[in-house]
Amino acid sequence: MDNQRNIHELGEITYIKAITVGSINPNVPFSEKERDAQLNILNRCLNEFPKGRIIGYDKTVATYVIAEHQFVMEKTSYHIGFKRKPLWLEEGKENGK
């Protein structure tokens, strides 16, 4: 019964927003400020009206060896489904966010 309910809910999704948290590019420094900004938009998608829900995610892991040091970097792309596109996403584009 739950399976049928989930399929029905997924059928109501008309807009999907991809949010990436993290970075796998060792040439571009990734700051705490950037990570916080990525998490803020993810939280906004999940908590503000209209509330979205995570319908999937992709994880990418990269391993680099630079000057005898091994680095492992990870990024996760969350796919957030909405019944309709949030107006505040449009406002963010207009304000250059």
Side-chain angles (χ1 to χ4, degrees), residues 8-75:
H8 178 69
E9 289 175 4
L10 288 175
E12 295 176 352
I13 292 173
T14 61
Y15 181 77
I16 298 173
K17 172 74 176 164
I19 309 285
T20 300
V21 178
S23 174
I24 59 166
N25 187 347
N27 297 320
V28 179
F30 185 66
S31 69
E32 288 290 319
K33 184 178 178 181
E34 289 172 311
R35 186 182 67 79
D36 289 344
Q38 291 171 341
L39 289 174
N40 285 339
I41 189 72
L42 177 63
N43 284 327
R44 191 169 186 190
C45 286
L46 297 174
N47 294 309
E48 289 190 17
F49 182 81
K51 286 187 180 184
R53 62 184 262 202
I54 297 173
I55 59 172
Y57 65 91
D58 302 317
K59 282 193 177 188
T60 305
V61 177
T63 304
Y64 301 97
V65 177
I66 301 172
E68 299 179 5
H69 297 285
Q70 183 174 4
F71 296 93
V72 177
M73 301 181 79
E74 179 180 328
K75 75 174 181 178

